[in-house]
């Protein structure tokens, strides 16, 4: 049996670019041509399968691939579907990846005076996520009709086929453009790494462990920036307090300047323009914000 790890990612869509970027930051190099279904790993025995995101859980179940980068929404819908059909679902969520964030929400027409979930009883809700929706309705003791649509769910209320929809939302702009408003968030999602059981394949298991060390090193600094600046000694404490989630800073003397020091530190949270403005107002100068690629240990 091939001992090359196969990772499925979305072929073309919202997750594609970030997924490729993440794997490349983990040091994987592929013969890259996005329109191909398969990318061969050049420097490690790890290959890519480029597929529709909806197919990834099934590919993992069937052992066509070993790992998959897919939205929790898709994985959870498939888990609930397998559960409803009494089928096994031997997938494990290994890591959340921090991108592809969205929520699965029920939305109603803007002029619907929405107060509570009970108002949806007996109505029709159009969705591509019938199992997640049914699960939510069951947990809330509401009986409603579910109309399955594979896409363009947001136009269903206008066509009169449903009074509400249940679809993915990130900014809410699509809802607004279709005269809809968000009524209930039923599930929050991000892209995540899923694996199939690999216990019987120690070589692949070992390869996965190696990849996870790298992945953690990359994820650990996902929001982090390395900040360097010059600070008047008198303002040092005030300046260090402004830096968001800063590690213990390195303070260095500056040649020829008695009253100024250089401050170097890792900020664990997003460094905003507002932070830089505050730093400058507090007396900092020569402020540099540098990207951090990876951090081990
Ligand atoms: P495919 O052809 O692969 O089936 P798709 O149309 O199902 O593509 P995309 O719209 O690219 O998929 O979304 C892929 C995933 O991106 C979603 O399943 C979800 O996890 C995530 N996502 C993040 N924000 C949004 C959003 N606003 N709308 C839809 N999906 C989002
Ligand atoms: Zn899809």
């Amino acid at each position: 049996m091939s001992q090359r790890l196969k990772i499925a990612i979305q072929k073309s869509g919202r997750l594609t670019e970030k997924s490729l970027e993440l794997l490349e930051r983990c040091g994987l190099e592929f013969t890259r041509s996005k329109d191909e279904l398969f990318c061969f790993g050049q420097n490690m025995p790890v290959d890519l399968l480029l597929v529709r995101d909806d197919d990834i859980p099934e590919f993992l179940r069937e052992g066509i691939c070993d790992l998959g980068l897919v939205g929790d929404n898709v994985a959870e819908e498939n888990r609930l579907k397998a559960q409803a059909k009494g089928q096994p679902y031997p997938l494990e969520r290994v890591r959340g990846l921090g991108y592809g964030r969205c929520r699965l929400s029920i939305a109603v027409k803007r002029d619907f005076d929405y107060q509570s979930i009970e108002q949806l009883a007996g109505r029709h809700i159009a969705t591509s996520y019938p199992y997640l929706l049914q699960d939510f309705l069951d947990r809330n003791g509401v009986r409603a009709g579910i109309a399955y649509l594979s896409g363009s769910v947001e136009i269903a209320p206008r066509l009169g086929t449903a009074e509400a929809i249940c679809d993915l939302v990130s900014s809410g702009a699509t809802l607004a453009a279709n005269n809809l408003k968000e009524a209930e968030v039923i599930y929050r999602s991000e892209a995540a790494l899923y694996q199939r059981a690999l216990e019987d394949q120690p070589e692949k298991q070992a390869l996965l462990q190696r990849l996870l060390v790298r992945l953690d090193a990359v994820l650990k600094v996902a929001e982090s920036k390395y900040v360097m600046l010059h600070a008047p000694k008198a303002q040092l404490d005030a300046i260090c307090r402004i830096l968001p989630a800063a590690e213990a800073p390195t303070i260095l003397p500056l040649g020829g300047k008695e009253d100024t020091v250089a401050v170097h530190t890792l900020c664990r949270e997003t460094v905003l323009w507002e932070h830089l403005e505050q730093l400058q107002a507090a007396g900092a100068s020569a402020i540099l914000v540098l990207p951090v690629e990876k951090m081990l240990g």
Side-chain angles (χ1 to χ4, degrees), residues 10 13-15 52-54 71 73-74 100-102 168-170:
Q10 191 184 21
R14 292 172 199 260
L15 305 179
R52 285 200 56 200
D53 66 343
D54 315 65
N73 53 313
V74 171
R101 286 187 200 279
C102 56
L168 295 176
V169 184
S170 47

Side-chain angles (χ1 to χ4, degrees), residues 10-16 51-55 70-74 99-103 129 150 167-172 174 189-191:
Q10 191 184 21
K11 180 171 158 41
S12 144
R14 292 172 199 260
L15 305 179
T16 308
V51 299
R52 285 200 56 200
D53 66 343
D54 315 65
D55 293 335
V70 66
D72 287 321
N73 53 313
V74 171
Y99 60 92
R101 286 187 200 279
C102 56
R103 48 197 192 271
Y129 295 89
S150 63
D167 203 6
L168 295 176
V169 184
S170 47
S171 69
T174 309
S189 177
E190 66 177 325

Side-chain angles (χ1 to χ4, degrees), residues 196-211:
R196 70 181 182 97
L198 290 173
E199 280 93 21
D200 55 340
Q201 287 169 280
E203 280 181 47
K204 283 190 177 181
Q205 184 71 42
L207 200 51
L208 171 60
Q209 288 312 318
R210 233 179 109 197
L211 269 186

